[in-house]
Amino acid sequence: MTETVLLNAAWVVPVRPRGTVFEQHSVVIERGRITALLPTKVAQSRFQGVREVNLGHHVLLPGLINMHTHSPMTLLRGYADDRDMQSWLREDIWPLEARFVSPEFVADGSRLAIVEMIRAGTTCFNENYFFPDAIAAAADSAGMRACIGLPIIEMSTAWAETVDDCFARGMQLAESYASHSRLQFSLAPHAPYTVGDPTLERIATYSATQQMPVHMHLLETAWEVQQSLEQYGKSPLERLDANGLLDERLLAVHMTQLESSDIETLAQHHVNIVHCPESNLKLASGICPLVELLEAGINLCIGTDGAASNNDLDLLAEARAAALLAKGISNDATQPDAFTTLEMLTINAAHALGIEDTVGSIEADKAADLVALDLNQARTLPVHDVVSAIIYSAASAQFSDVWVAGRRLMKGGSLCTLDEADVLARAVNWGRRIAAGRTVA
Ligand SMILES: [Zn+2]
Protein backbone atom coordinates (compact mmCIF):
# COMPACT_ATOMS: atom_id res chain seq x y z
CA MET A 1 0.00 0.00 0.00
CA THR A 2 2.58 2.52 -1.04
CA GLU A 3 0.45 4.64 -3.35
CA THR A 4 -0.77 8.09 -2.41
CA VAL A 5 -4.55 8.54 -2.38
CA LEU A 6 -6.61 11.70 -2.04
CA LEU A 7 -10.02 11.44 -0.44
CA ASN A 8 -11.98 14.49 -1.57
CA ALA A 9 -15.09 15.38 0.40
CA ALA A 10 -17.59 18.22 0.73
CA TRP A 11 -16.77 18.37 4.44
CA VAL A 12 -14.11 16.99 6.76
CA VAL A 13 -14.69 16.97 10.51
CA PRO A 14 -11.26 16.07 11.91
CA VAL A 15 -12.39 16.27 15.59
CA ARG A 16 -9.00 17.87 16.38
CA PRO A 17 -8.64 20.86 16.51
CA ARG A 18 -11.88 20.94 18.55
CA GLY A 19 -14.95 22.11 16.68
CA THR A 20 -13.24 22.49 13.29
CA VAL A 21 -15.22 21.78 10.09
CA PHE A 22 -13.44 22.03 6.73
CA GLU A 23 -15.31 22.42 3.45
CA GLN A 24 -14.09 21.01 0.12
CA HIS A 25 -11.06 19.38 1.69
CA SER A 26 -8.96 16.31 0.97
CA VAL A 27 -7.37 13.79 3.26
CA VAL A 28 -4.07 12.54 1.87
CA ILE A 29 -3.22 8.90 2.64
CA GLU A 30 0.17 7.29 2.15
CA ARG A 31 1.20 3.85 3.40
CA GLY A 32 -1.97 3.55 5.47
CA ARG A 33 -1.40 6.81 7.30
CA ILE A 34 -2.83 10.31 7.02
CA THR A 35 -0.10 12.62 5.75
CA ALA A 36 -2.06 15.82 5.18
CA LEU A 37 -5.47 17.48 5.31
CA LEU A 38 -5.68 20.22 2.67
CA PRO A 39 -8.19 22.21 0.61
CA THR A 40 -8.98 19.94 -2.35
CA LYS A 41 -7.64 22.43 -4.92
CA VAL A 42 -4.31 22.66 -3.08
CA ALA A 43 -4.09 18.88 -2.68
CA GLN A 44 -4.84 18.31 -6.37
CA SER A 45 -2.13 20.68 -7.52
CA ARG A 46 0.42 19.31 -5.04
CA PHE A 47 -0.30 15.61 -5.71
CA GLN A 48 -0.83 15.43 -9.46
CA GLY A 49 -1.45 12.07 -11.09
CA VAL A 50 -2.31 10.25 -7.86
CA ARG A 51 -5.49 8.25 -7.33
CA GLU A 52 -8.43 10.31 -6.10
CA VAL A 53 -11.64 9.18 -4.45
CA ASN A 54 -14.36 11.77 -4.97
CA LEU A 55 -16.84 11.56 -2.14
CA GLY A 56 -19.12 14.37 -3.32
CA HIS A 57 -21.72 15.44 -0.78
CA HIS A 58 -20.16 13.38 1.99
CA VAL A 59 -18.54 14.22 5.28
CA LEU A 60 -15.32 12.45 6.22
CA LEU A 61 -14.90 11.61 9.89
CA PRO A 62 -12.46 9.66 12.01
CA GLY A 63 -13.76 6.07 12.25
CA LEU A 64 -16.18 5.55 15.13
CA ILE A 65 -15.07 3.45 18.09
CA ASN A 66 -17.57 1.15 19.83
CA MET A 67 -16.27 1.07 23.39
CA HIS A 68 -18.27 -1.87 24.70
CA THR A 69 -19.65 -4.86 22.91
CA HIS A 70 -19.87 -8.64 22.96
CA SER A 71 -19.72 -9.32 19.22
CA PRO A 72 -20.77 -12.99 19.16
CA MET A 73 -23.97 -12.10 21.03
CA THR A 74 -25.34 -10.85 17.71
CA LEU A 75 -26.45 -14.49 17.35
CA LEU A 76 -28.61 -14.04 20.48
CA ARG A 77 -30.24 -10.85 19.17
CA GLY A 78 -33.90 -10.87 20.15
CA TYR A 79 -33.66 -14.24 21.91
CA ALA A 80 -34.85 -12.96 25.29
CA ASP A 81 -36.29 -9.46 25.53
CA ASP A 82 -38.39 -7.54 28.02
CA ARG A 83 -36.65 -9.12 31.03
CA ASP A 84 -34.86 -7.51 33.98
CA MET A 85 -31.09 -7.78 33.93
CA GLN A 86 -30.41 -10.55 36.46
CA SER A 87 -33.31 -12.77 35.21
CA TRP A 88 -32.19 -12.17 31.61
CA LEU A 89 -28.62 -13.14 32.43
CA ARG A 90 -29.23 -16.11 34.75
CA GLU A 91 -32.36 -17.66 33.23
CA ASP A 92 -31.90 -16.88 29.52
CA ILE A 93 -28.39 -15.92 28.48
CA TRP A 94 -26.08 -18.01 30.66
CA PRO A 95 -27.94 -21.32 30.06
CA LEU A 96 -28.05 -20.62 26.32
CA GLU A 97 -24.35 -19.77 26.25
CA ALA A 98 -23.53 -22.97 28.16
CA ARG A 99 -25.30 -24.89 25.42
CA PHE A 100 -24.12 -23.17 22.27
CA VAL A 101 -20.95 -21.12 22.76
CA SER A 102 -18.05 -22.66 20.84
CA PRO A 103 -15.25 -21.36 18.61
CA GLU A 104 -17.58 -21.75 15.60
CA PHE A 105 -20.41 -19.80 17.29
CA VAL A 106 -17.97 -17.04 18.28
CA ALA A 107 -16.37 -16.82 14.83
CA ASP A 108 -19.74 -16.62 13.03
CA GLY A 109 -21.23 -14.19 15.56
CA SER A 110 -18.13 -11.98 15.42
CA ARG A 111 -18.26 -11.77 11.63
CA LEU A 112 -21.95 -10.86 11.77
CA ALA A 113 -21.13 -8.12 14.28
CA ILE A 114 -18.24 -6.85 12.15
CA VAL A 115 -20.49 -6.61 9.08
CA GLU A 116 -23.01 -4.62 11.11
CA MET A 117 -20.32 -2.41 12.66
CA ILE A 118 -18.53 -1.58 9.40
CA ARG A 119 -21.88 -0.66 7.86
CA ALA A 120 -22.46 1.62 10.87
CA GLY A 121 -19.19 3.51 10.36
CA THR A 122 -17.28 1.68 13.10
CA THR A 123 -13.57 1.08 12.59
CA CYS A 124 -12.60 -0.13 16.07
CA PHE A 125 -14.40 -2.06 18.79
CA ASN A 126 -13.69 -2.81 22.43
CA GLU A 127 -14.71 -6.41 22.91
CA ASN A 128 -15.36 -8.85 25.74
CA TYR A 129 -16.46 -12.42 25.08
CA PHE A 130 -15.38 -16.03 25.37
CA PHE A 131 -13.00 -17.53 22.77
CA PRO A 132 -11.24 -14.19 22.22
CA ASP A 133 -8.88 -16.05 19.88
CA ALA A 134 -11.77 -16.54 17.42
CA ILE A 135 -12.83 -12.88 17.75
CA ALA A 136 -9.25 -11.68 17.17
CA ALA A 137 -8.98 -13.86 14.06
CA ALA A 138 -12.30 -12.51 12.71
CA ALA A 139 -11.29 -8.89 13.35
CA ASP A 140 -7.86 -9.44 11.84
CA SER A 141 -9.09 -11.02 8.62
CA ALA A 142 -11.78 -8.35 8.20
CA GLY A 143 -9.17 -5.61 8.60
CA MET A 144 -10.83 -4.08 11.67
CA ARG A 145 -9.05 -2.47 14.60
CA ALA A 146 -10.02 -3.90 17.97
CA CYS A 147 -9.20 -4.17 21.62
CA ILE A 148 -10.00 -7.78 22.45
CA GLY A 149 -10.94 -8.52 26.07
CA LEU A 150 -9.39 -11.53 27.74
CA PRO A 151 -12.42 -12.76 29.68
CA ILE A 152 -12.03 -13.43 33.40
CA ILE A 153 -14.99 -14.91 35.24
CA GLU A 154 -15.14 -17.19 38.25
CA MET A 155 -17.35 -19.81 36.71
CA SER A 156 -16.52 -22.71 34.42
CA THR A 157 -17.14 -21.85 30.77
CA ALA A 158 -16.48 -23.49 27.43
CA TRP A 159 -13.49 -21.14 27.07
CA ALA A 160 -11.83 -21.76 30.45
CA GLU A 161 -12.56 -23.91 33.49
CA THR A 162 -10.82 -21.77 36.11
CA VAL A 163 -9.46 -18.27 36.62
CA ASP A 164 -5.94 -19.70 36.19
CA ASP A 165 -7.01 -20.99 32.77
CA CYS A 166 -8.43 -17.56 31.90
CA PHE A 167 -5.08 -15.89 32.67
CA ALA A 168 -2.94 -18.56 30.98
CA ARG A 169 -4.97 -18.68 27.77
CA GLY A 170 -5.47 -14.95 27.69
CA MET A 171 -1.81 -14.11 28.09
CA GLN A 172 -0.81 -16.68 25.49
CA LEU A 173 -3.23 -15.10 23.03
CA ALA A 174 -2.02 -11.55 23.75
CA GLU A 175 1.58 -12.65 23.24
CA SER A 176 0.73 -14.27 19.90
CA TYR A 177 -0.45 -10.85 18.60
CA ALA A 178 2.20 -8.81 20.43
CA SER A 179 3.49 -7.00 17.35
CA HIS A 180 0.11 -6.61 15.59
CA SER A 181 -0.61 -3.06 14.46
CA ARG A 182 -4.43 -3.20 14.71
CA LEU A 183 -5.16 -5.59 17.57
CA GLN A 184 -4.57 -4.94 21.25
CA PHE A 185 -5.85 -6.75 24.33
CA SER A 186 -7.46 -5.87 27.64
CA LEU A 187 -8.09 -7.79 30.83
CA ALA A 188 -11.84 -8.23 31.00
CA PRO A 189 -13.18 -9.26 34.41
CA HIS A 190 -16.90 -9.78 33.85
CA ALA A 191 -18.36 -7.88 36.83
CA PRO A 192 -17.92 -7.37 40.60
CA TYR A 193 -20.39 -10.19 41.34
CA THR A 194 -18.54 -12.78 39.25
CA VAL A 195 -14.92 -11.97 40.24
CA GLY A 196 -13.52 -12.19 43.81
CA ASP A 197 -10.99 -9.93 45.53
CA PRO A 198 -7.84 -12.07 45.01
CA THR A 199 -8.61 -12.15 41.28
CA LEU A 200 -9.18 -8.38 41.17
CA GLU A 201 -5.82 -7.87 42.84
CA ARG A 202 -4.16 -10.19 40.32
CA ILE A 203 -5.78 -8.27 37.45
CA ALA A 204 -4.45 -4.98 38.84
CA THR A 205 -0.93 -6.43 38.93
CA TYR A 206 -1.14 -7.76 35.36
CA SER A 207 -2.64 -4.49 34.13
CA ALA A 208 0.23 -2.49 35.63
CA THR A 209 3.01 -4.78 34.44
CA GLN A 210 1.56 -5.38 30.94
CA GLN A 211 0.13 -1.84 30.60
CA MET A 212 -3.19 -3.40 29.58
CA PRO A 213 -6.58 -1.73 29.93
CA VAL A 214 -9.11 -3.35 32.29
CA HIS A 215 -12.54 -3.60 30.66
CA MET A 216 -15.30 -4.32 33.19
CA HIS A 217 -19.06 -4.01 33.74
CA LEU A 218 -19.36 -1.81 36.82
CA LEU A 219 -22.20 -0.28 38.85
CA GLU A 220 -24.65 -1.54 36.26
CA THR A 221 -27.61 -2.22 38.58
CA ALA A 222 -28.80 -1.51 42.14
CA TRP A 223 -28.73 -5.29 42.68
CA GLU A 224 -24.97 -5.34 42.02
CA VAL A 225 -24.31 -2.68 44.68
CA GLN A 226 -26.54 -4.45 47.22
CA GLN A 227 -24.91 -7.81 46.55
CA SER A 228 -21.45 -6.34 47.05
CA LEU A 229 -22.41 -4.67 50.33
CA GLU A 230 -23.89 -7.95 51.59
CA GLN A 231 -21.02 -10.20 50.51
CA TYR A 232 -18.02 -7.92 51.03
CA GLY A 233 -19.23 -5.08 53.27
CA LYS A 234 -18.05 -2.70 50.55
CA SER A 235 -19.48 -1.15 47.40
CA PRO A 236 -18.08 -2.42 44.09
CA LEU A 237 -16.10 0.81 43.69
CA GLU A 238 -14.61 0.46 47.17
CA ARG A 239 -13.57 -3.09 46.29
CA LEU A 240 -11.90 -1.97 43.06
CA ASP A 241 -10.14 0.85 44.91
CA ALA A 242 -8.92 -1.53 47.63
CA ASN A 243 -7.53 -3.84 44.95
CA GLY A 244 -5.72 -1.11 43.05
CA LEU A 245 -7.94 -0.99 39.96
CA LEU A 246 -9.04 2.64 39.94
CA ASP A 247 -6.72 4.25 37.41
CA GLU A 248 -6.46 5.55 33.84
CA ARG A 249 -6.42 2.01 32.43
CA LEU A 250 -9.88 1.17 33.80
CA LEU A 251 -12.70 1.18 31.23
CA ALA A 252 -15.70 1.20 33.56
CA VAL A 253 -18.80 0.17 31.63
CA HIS A 254 -22.36 1.31 32.55
CA MET A 255 -21.92 3.23 35.86
CA THR A 256 -25.63 3.85 36.39
CA GLN A 257 -25.46 3.66 40.21
CA LEU A 258 -23.08 6.51 40.99
CA GLU A 259 -23.11 8.67 44.11
CA SER A 260 -21.79 12.24 43.88
CA SER A 261 -18.77 11.33 46.02
CA ASP A 262 -17.94 8.47 43.60
CA ILE A 263 -17.71 10.95 40.73
CA GLU A 264 -15.00 12.89 42.52
CA THR A 265 -13.03 9.68 43.19
CA LEU A 266 -13.30 8.55 39.57
CA ALA A 267 -12.15 11.96 38.31
CA GLN A 268 -9.15 11.96 40.66
CA HIS A 269 -8.10 8.51 39.43
CA HIS A 270 -8.65 9.35 35.71
CA VAL A 271 -11.01 6.40 35.27
CA ASN A 272 -12.66 6.17 31.80
CA ILE A 273 -16.41 5.63 31.69
CA VAL A 274 -18.24 3.81 28.90
CA HIS A 275 -21.89 4.81 28.63
CA CYS A 276 -24.29 2.26 27.06
CA PRO A 277 -27.64 4.04 27.29
CA GLU A 278 -29.78 1.73 25.14
CA SER A 279 -28.74 -1.42 27.00
CA ASN A 280 -29.29 0.31 30.35
CA LEU A 281 -32.72 1.55 29.26
CA LYS A 282 -33.79 -1.78 27.79
CA LEU A 283 -32.78 -3.75 30.89
CA ALA A 284 -34.09 -0.96 33.16
CA SER A 285 -30.72 -0.96 34.90
CA GLY A 286 -30.52 2.76 35.62
CA ILE A 287 -29.12 5.86 33.92
CA CYS A 288 -25.50 6.98 33.85
CA PRO A 289 -25.35 10.69 34.84
CA LEU A 290 -23.52 11.85 31.74
CA VAL A 291 -23.68 15.61 32.32
CA GLU A 292 -22.35 15.37 35.88
CA LEU A 293 -19.49 13.19 34.64
CA LEU A 294 -18.67 15.63 31.85
CA GLU A 295 -18.65 18.52 34.31
CA ALA A 296 -16.25 16.55 36.52
CA GLY A 297 -13.87 16.25 33.55
CA ILE A 298 -14.16 12.47 33.26
CA ASN A 299 -13.26 10.87 29.93
CA LEU A 300 -16.57 9.56 28.55
CA CYS A 301 -17.06 7.10 25.71
CA ILE A 302 -20.04 5.27 24.19
CA GLY A 303 -20.68 1.58 23.62
CA THR A 304 -23.59 -0.35 22.21
CA ASP A 305 -23.16 -3.36 24.53
CA GLY A 306 -24.03 -6.71 22.93
CA ALA A 307 -26.88 -7.10 20.44
CA ALA A 308 -28.74 -9.30 22.93
CA SER A 309 -29.43 -6.26 25.12
CA ASN A 310 -29.64 -3.36 22.65
CA ASN A 311 -30.56 -4.88 20.02
CA ASP A 312 -28.18 -3.44 17.43
CA LEU A 313 -24.59 -2.20 17.12
CA ASP A 314 -25.50 1.21 15.73
CA LEU A 315 -23.19 3.77 17.34
CA LEU A 316 -24.82 6.83 15.79
CA ALA A 317 -28.18 5.80 17.21
CA GLU A 318 -26.50 5.09 20.55
CA ALA A 319 -24.88 8.52 20.56
CA ARG A 320 -28.17 10.21 19.81
CA ALA A 321 -29.84 8.28 22.63
CA ALA A 322 -26.99 9.27 24.96
CA ALA A 323 -27.25 12.95 24.09
CA LEU A 324 -31.05 13.15 24.31
CA LEU A 325 -31.24 11.14 27.53
CA ALA A 326 -28.59 13.35 29.15
CA LYS A 327 -30.44 16.53 28.19
CA GLY A 328 -33.73 15.10 29.42
CA ILE A 329 -32.56 13.97 32.85
CA SER A 330 -30.38 17.04 33.50
CA ASN A 331 -33.04 19.56 32.41
CA ASP A 332 -30.26 21.23 30.42
CA ALA A 333 -30.68 21.27 26.65
CA THR A 334 -27.17 22.67 26.16
CA GLN A 335 -25.32 19.55 27.33
CA PRO A 336 -23.84 17.58 25.77
CA ASP A 337 -23.57 19.58 22.55
CA ALA A 338 -23.27 17.68 19.27
CA PHE A 339 -19.51 18.05 19.02
CA THR A 340 -18.97 16.77 22.56
CA THR A 341 -21.05 13.73 21.65
CA LEU A 342 -18.92 13.17 18.53
CA GLU A 343 -15.80 13.29 20.70
CA MET A 344 -17.19 10.45 22.81
CA LEU A 345 -17.40 8.31 19.65
CA THR A 346 -13.87 9.11 18.51
CA ILE A 347 -11.04 10.86 20.36
CA ASN A 348 -12.26 10.08 23.91
CA ALA A 349 -12.44 6.39 23.00
CA ALA A 350 -8.96 6.46 21.50
CA HIS A 351 -7.67 8.10 24.67
CA ALA A 352 -9.34 5.46 26.87
CA LEU A 353 -7.70 2.67 24.86
CA GLY A 354 -4.30 4.34 25.02
CA ILE A 355 -4.19 4.73 21.22
CA GLU A 356 -4.82 8.47 20.95
CA ASP A 357 -1.55 8.88 19.04
CA THR A 358 -2.81 6.46 16.37
CA VAL A 359 -6.56 7.07 15.89
CA GLY A 360 -9.53 9.18 17.04
CA SER A 361 -9.00 12.25 14.86
CA ILE A 362 -7.92 13.16 11.32
CA GLU A 363 -4.41 14.45 11.86
CA ALA A 364 -1.10 13.94 10.08
CA ASP A 365 0.79 10.80 11.12
CA LYS A 366 -2.28 9.04 12.46
CA ALA A 367 -3.55 5.81 10.91
CA ALA A 368 -6.06 6.35 8.10
CA ASP A 369 -9.12 5.07 10.00
CA LEU A 370 -11.80 7.08 8.20
CA VAL A 371 -15.50 6.90 7.42
CA ALA A 372 -17.59 8.75 4.85
CA LEU A 373 -21.20 9.63 5.57
CA ASP A 374 -23.46 10.68 2.67
CA LEU A 375 -25.41 13.77 3.73
CA ASN A 376 -27.20 14.16 0.39
CA GLN A 377 -30.27 12.33 1.60
CA ALA A 378 -33.68 13.55 2.72
CA ARG A 379 -33.13 13.04 6.43
CA THR A 380 -29.93 15.14 6.52
CA LEU A 381 -30.85 18.01 4.17
CA PRO A 382 -30.38 20.90 4.21
CA VAL A 383 -27.04 20.86 6.00
CA HIS A 384 -27.09 23.94 8.22
CA ASP A 385 -24.60 22.42 10.63
CA VAL A 386 -22.54 19.36 9.70
CA VAL A 387 -21.93 18.07 13.21
CA SER A 388 -25.61 18.47 14.07
CA ALA A 389 -26.50 16.52 10.91
CA ILE A 390 -24.18 13.69 11.98
CA ILE A 391 -25.36 13.42 15.58
CA TYR A 392 -29.06 14.35 15.39
CA SER A 393 -30.20 13.46 11.86
CA ALA A 394 -28.10 10.86 10.07
CA ALA A 395 -28.85 7.15 9.93
CA SER A 396 -25.96 4.71 10.03
CA ALA A 397 -27.10 3.39 6.61
CA GLN A 398 -25.77 6.67 5.19
CA PHE A 399 -22.18 5.50 5.75
CA SER A 400 -20.85 4.62 2.32
CA ASP A 401 -17.11 4.07 2.71
CA VAL A 402 -14.85 2.87 5.49
CA TRP A 403 -11.06 2.66 5.72
CA VAL A 404 -8.90 1.17 8.48
CA ALA A 405 -5.17 1.90 8.31
CA GLY A 406 -5.76 3.02 4.72
CA ARG A 407 -7.37 -0.27 3.65
CA ARG A 408 -10.86 0.08 2.29
CA LEU A 409 -13.34 -2.11 4.20
CA MET A 410 -16.44 -0.67 2.51
CA LYS A 411 -16.63 0.91 -0.94
CA GLY A 412 -19.81 2.67 -2.00
CA GLY A 413 -21.88 0.51 0.33
CA SER A 414 -20.25 -2.82 -0.57
CA LEU A 415 -18.07 -4.67 1.89
CA CYS A 416 -14.56 -5.39 0.64
CA THR A 417 -13.09 -7.81 3.18
CA LEU A 418 -16.02 -10.06 4.09
CA ASP A 419 -18.34 -12.33 2.13
CA GLU A 420 -21.49 -10.72 3.44
CA ALA A 421 -23.90 -13.25 1.90
CA ASP A 422 -22.04 -16.10 3.61
CA VAL A 423 -22.00 -14.25 6.97
CA LEU A 424 -25.77 -13.67 6.76
CA ALA A 425 -26.49 -17.26 5.70
CA ARG A 426 -24.56 -18.57 8.71
CA ALA A 427 -26.51 -16.24 11.02
CA VAL A 428 -29.79 -17.63 9.65
CA ASN A 429 -28.50 -21.14 10.25
CA TRP A 430 -27.56 -20.32 13.86
CA GLY A 431 -31.06 -18.90 14.35
CA ARG A 432 -32.47 -22.29 13.33
CA ARG A 433 -30.09 -24.23 15.58
CA ILE A 434 -30.82 -22.03 18.61
CA ALA A 435 -34.59 -22.21 18.01
CA ALA A 436 -34.38 -26.00 17.74
CA GLY A 437 -32.40 -26.10 21.00
CA ARG A 438 -35.05 -24.05 22.75
CA THR A 439 -37.77 -26.46 21.61
CA VAL A 440 -35.80 -29.46 22.93
CA ALA A 441 -35.08 -27.72 26.27
ZN1 LIG B 1 -21.84 -5.77 28.40
Side-chain angles (χ1 to χ4, degrees), residues 68 70 217 253-254 305-306:
H68 179 64
H70 315 283
H217 298 113
V253 181
H254 296 312
D305 211 342

Side-chain angles (χ1 to χ4, degrees), residues 3-5 7 27-35 368 370 406:
E3 67 165 346
T4 300
V5 181
L7 308 184
V27 177
V28 185
I29 305 178
E30 292 175 271
R31 294 185 179 82
R33 303 195 83 77
I34 297 160
T35 56
L370 301 160

Side-chain angles (χ1 to χ4, degrees), residues 85 190-193 216-226 228 234-240 246 252-259 262-263 266 273-274 280 285-289:
M85 201 242 166
H190 171 256
Y193 52 93
M216 186 174 191
H217 298 113
L218 192 61
L219 300 188
E220 184 171 3
T221 60
W223 176 89
E224 173 194 324
V225 177
Q226 193 56 38
S228 179
K234 290 178 184 157
S235 74
L237 264 192
E238 287 168 338
R239 285 183 59 214
L240 261 66
L246 294 190
V253 181
H254 296 312
M255 305 299 265
T256 72
Q257 307 293 318
L258 284 164
E259 310 280 344
D262 295 336
I263 295 176
L266 294 166
I273 293 185
V274 183
N280 298 152
S285 300
I287 296 174
C288 176

Side-chain angles (χ1 to χ4, degrees), residues 1 18 66 101 119 141 180 184 189 218 227 286 334 347 370 383 412 420 440:
M1 221 180 296
R18 277 202 99 230
N66 187 349
V101 172
R119 288 198 166 284
S141 71
H180 200 286
Q184 67 178 116
L218 192 61
Q227 189 277 343
T334 68
I347 195 73
L370 301 160
V383 182
E420 187 169 6
V440 171

Side-chain angles (χ1 to χ4, degrees), residues 238-249:
E238 287 168 338
R239 285 183 59 214
L240 261 66
D241 197 9
N243 287 293
L245 277 163
L246 294 190
D247 60 25
E248 73 285 358
R249 288 186 301 279

Side-chain angles (χ1 to χ4, degrees), residues 234-425:
K234 290 178 184 157
S235 74
L237 264 192
E238 287 168 338
R239 285 183 59 214
L240 261 66
D241 197 9
N243 287 293
L245 277 163
L246 294 190
D247 60 25
E248 73 285 358
R249 288 186 301 279
L250 181 61
L251 315 173
V253 181
H254 296 312
M255 305 299 265
T256 72
Q257 307 293 318
L258 284 164
E259 310 280 344
S260 295
S261 57
D262 295 336
I263 295 176
E264 211 169 295
T265 305
L266 294 166
Q268 282 166 358
H269 289 87
H270 305 289
V271 169
N272 306 283
I273 293 185
V274 183
H275 181 30
C276 304
E278 293 192 358
S279 172
N280 298 152
L281 288 169
K282 183 161 177 279
L283 293 168
S285 300
I287 296 174
C288 176
L290 187 118
V291 173
E292 284 172 73
L293 295 171
L294 279 175
E295 284 174 347
I298 289 174
N299 187 48
L300 270 159
C301 315
I302 294 177
T304 58
D305 211 342
S309 63
N310 184 305
N311 291 355
D312 58 51
L313 308 180
D314 183 340
L315 264 185
L316 275 189
E318 197 75 32
R320 188 173 310 137
L324 300 186
L325 182 63
K327 291 170 193 293
I329 63 164
S330 67
N331 282 320
D332 181 356
T334 68
Q335 294 201 77
D337 62 30
F339 185 78
T340 301
T341 305
L342 180 60
E343 287 182 306
M344 293 184 225
L345 297 174
T346 53
I347 195 73
N348 293 10
H351 176 77
L353 292 174
I355 53 174
E356 194 175 352
D357 290 344
T358 308
V359 294
S361 60
I362 302 179
E363 293 179 275
D365 294 332
K366 285 199 174 185
D369 287 21
L370 301 160
V371 292
L373 184 69
D374 179 8
L375 297 183
N376 195 30
Q377 296 192 22
R379 68 182 282 168
T380 40
L381 289 174
V383 182
H384 292 298
D385 178 311
V386 175
V387 179
S388 164
I390 297 164
I391 296 298
Y392 298 125
S393 306
S396 64
Q398 290 173 249
F399 283 106
S400 61
D401 295 80
V402 172
W403 292 262
V404 172
R407 183 181 181 194
R408 208 162 185 176
L409 307 191
M410 183 158 76
K411 180 179 181 180
S414 297
L415 298 185
C416 309
T417 56
L418 286 143
D419 180 347
E420 187 169 6
D422 177 64
V423 172
L424 302 189

